[in-house]
Amino acid sequence: MDPIPSRRYLVLLCQDRKQEAFRALKELTGGQVTSIATLAPDGELPRAQLTDQCAVVFDRIGVALLRCGEEKRRLLAMAAQESNPAILAIELERQVRAMARPKDIGIPVTPSNDPESLAAYLKGYRDAVNEIVDRALERQGPAAIVHPPSTPPDEASMSWGVHVTRSAVSTYNGRGVKLAVLDTGLDLTHPDFAARQIVSRSFVDGESVQDGNGHGTHCAGIAGGPARPSAGPRYGVAGEVELYIGKVLGDQGGGADGSVLEGINWAIEHGCHIISMSLGSSLESGQNYSKVFEEVARRALAAGTVIIAAAGNESRRPELIAPVSHPANCPSIFAVGAVDQALQTASFSCAGLVPDGGQVDIAGPGVQVLSSWPVPQRHNTLSGTSMATPFVAGIAALHAQSDPALRSRALLNILVQTARRLTQPSRDVGAGLVQAP
């Protein structure tokens, strides 16, 4: 018997040695190994009921979710480090959470027109042309695009985020592009989504896709809300994108790596071009990025899918600047920081402080952002890198629609190339503010 209680682990398998990996898992753990696709016609997995030494493999991304004790974990770790080419890595499963600022949850929409707020808003439209963003443009050919001065939005017709990202003037709407939002689900009864054909799935035990939290509905609204909502100003970017809603966080806003990876597996299987993840967990001192999530992100890119994730809200600027959170700190995951109406880095937004991974790639609107909310409230304003992330994901869908060649890394490259340069360092805002084509 194992000396300590069993825990859940992520095991990275070699995609070219799938059968060998299955055999190795069985031999090393002495337990049952099952493919997610064979569990049931719809592939549903009772994650909370994983028994000891039981592993479930997410075939498309080549990762197993395993429950075992320390003795078995050591055997797998030794196999990954030494002798078995089919087992590449093993990591403890982490808990993750929604990346909105908790104190903002549930605050009603209160648009402000006071002179002080308007002055701060207008101040944000100075166009300072920075030197070329060092890290972001090292991999780019074309020169940076300099955008002309902006004019204030008509707040009755569109949110400030839709305006400042130029989404309102784009000729694209995301039609024909598949975008997955992995979050707390969606209010499927919401009038702004009731007529949409939405593919959805819950990866949370005992909970349906119906959003009992609000965070997922808010994020989905930013990425794919309609150009003409049922009430109020426009808040969505890609109003005709094909939405895939994966519930990977429970109604309390929390979840675990296993559900997130299963959601990624599902999105790739459905051919999604973009995955938006406004979730994560903070890093401990000296903690590196996840080898499992990094390899999954690479495999997603090889399949034509980009993963865009929130950089995190742990900073308390100027006193404390925190590093980019897990899993956005993986080099192959596109990390999104947040700016406010003045186009200044949000006080909570994490920064690229770690040389090996952990960079911020781009920034999006993330302070007092209007979007959809479960009925009866219907709309709400929230703050967080959670809000900035679906702006980037939705605009990625517009770019993907504009040119079928813009897929995988080419899609991420165009986001960097067309970003609006800001005065802040790239560690805070990456290439700058995301811009619609």
Side-chain angles (χ1 to χ4, degrees):
M1 181 177 291
D2 292 320
I4 62 173
S6 295
R7 305 171 79 177
R8 300 204 322 184
Y9 295 90
L10 311 174
V11 185
L12 181 64
L13 311 178
C14 179
Q15 287 285 62
D16 297 329
R17 298 171 178 264
K18 189 173 294 185
Q19 294 306 314
E20 187 179 342
F22 269 64
R23 288 195 299 270
L25 276 175
K26 288 180 180 179
E27 290 170 4
L28 292 168
T29 65
Q32 180 181 2
V33 180
T34 309
S35 165
I36 186 69
T38 63
L39 285 175
D42 57 6
E44 289 189 1
L45 163 69
R47 291 154 218 70
Q49 299 173 23
L50 276 177
T51 57
D52 284 354
Q53 278 66 261
C54 174
V56 177
V57 177
F58 307 137
D59 303 79
R60 192 62 183 80
I61 58 174
V63 175
L65 177 61
L66 167 72
R67 181 184 289 278
C68 69
E70 180 62 18
E71 180 183 346
K72 304 298 184 183
R73 185 205 64 80
R74 285 200 200 99
L75 291 174
L76 285 165
M78 289 173 60
Q81 293 170 5
E82 298 171 7
S83 58
N84 198 314
I87 305 294
L88 302 181
I90 180 168
E91 296 175 358
L92 181 66
E93 181 187 41
R94 308 187 206 194
Q95 299 299 303
V96 293
R97 64 185 184 281
M99 285 289 189
R101 300 178 70 201
K103 69 178 183 179
D104 290 332
I105 297 292
I107 296 177
V109 179
T110 53
S112 176
N113 291 311
D114 65 272
E116 220 174 281
S117 297
L118 186 57
Y121 185 90
L122 291 170
K123 182 182 177 185
Y125 289 108
R126 62 184 182 274
D127 265 342
V129 182
N130 247 2
E131 61 181 283
I132 295 175
V133 179
D134 47 341
R135 179 202 54 74
L137 290 185
E138 277 175 3
R139 60 187 186 217
Q140 310 306 323
I145 293 177
V146 179
H147 297 279
S150 304
T151 55
D154 175 5
E155 293 185 28
S157 64
M158 73 186 77
S159 71
W160 76 269
V162 168
H163 173 75
V164 79
T165 58
R166 299 180 60 83
S167 299
V169 297
S170 176
T171 58
Y172 302 101
N173 54 27
R175 186 180 301 133
V177 179
K178 296 181 177 181
L179 188 157
V181 178
L182 304 184
D183 211 286
T184 63
L186 176 70
D187 179 7
L188 299 173
T189 70
H190 197 288
D192 291 350
F193 296 96
R196 295 278 286 276
Q197 294 295 317
I198 295 173
V199 180
S200 63
R201 173 84 176 275
S202 176
F203 303 97
V204 178
D205 285 340
E207 294 187 16
S208 70
V209 169
Q210 184 64 23
D211 186 8
N213 178 279
H215 188 269
T217 299
H218 199 272
C219 292
I222 295 169
R228 296 181 180 177
S230 57
R234 174 179 174 177
Y235 56 82
V237 171
E240 294 191 31
V241 74
E242 296 179 28
L243 278 175
Y244 285 72
I245 302 297
K247 183 166 186 167
V248 300
L249 303 177
D251 288 339
Q252 298 304 309
D257 280 344
S259 295
V260 175
L261 289 169
E262 189 178 357
I264 293 173
N265 189 81
W266 170 79
I268 295 174
E269 282 185 336
H270 281 79
C272 291
H273 305 102
I274 302 153
I275 297 175
S276 180
M277 304 195 313
S278 294
L279 51 81
S281 60
S282 59
L283 299 179
E284 297 177 6
S285 179
Q287 190 174 12
N288 294 323
Y289 63 80
S290 164
K291 292 181 180 179
V292 173
F293 271 85
E294 170 59 15
E295 182 58 30
V296 166
R298 291 180 184 177
R299 292 173 182 180
L301 287 168
T305 303
V306 300
I307 301 178
I308 299 171
N313 303 337
E314 282 73 38
S315 292
R316 296 293 179 268
R317 297 170 185 265
E319 294 82 9
L320 170 67
I321 301 179
V324 172
S325 300
H326 162 79
N329 66 328
C330 293
S332 298
I333 293 180
F334 206 62
V336 183
V339 296
D340 60 20
Q341 290 95 327
L343 302 192
Q344 296 301 303
T345 306
S347 61
F348 50 79
S349 189
C350 289
L353 305 178
V354 181
D356 183 18
Q359 75 277 11
V360 173
D361 291 291
I362 205 163
V367 176
Q368 289 298 293
V369 174
L370 172 70
S371 187
S372 46
W373 194 255
V375 294
Q377 186 170 326
R378 296 172 63 177
H379 301 97
N380 198 1
T381 54
L382 298 182
S383 299
T385 54
S386 274
M387 288 60 254
T389 299
F391 267 110
V392 175
I395 288 171
L398 303 184
H399 282 288
Q401 180 192 7
S402 74
D403 184 351
L406 294 177
R407 298 292 184 268
S408 189
R409 292 193 186 276
L411 182 55
L412 299 180
N413 289 346
I414 199 67
L415 290 172
V416 169
Q417 290 174 12
T418 58
R420 176 179 177 174
R421 309 304 168 210
L422 301 174
T423 58
Q424 297 93 304
S426 59
R427 70 161 197 178
D428 293 328
V429 296
L433 179 65
V434 67
Q435 297 288 283

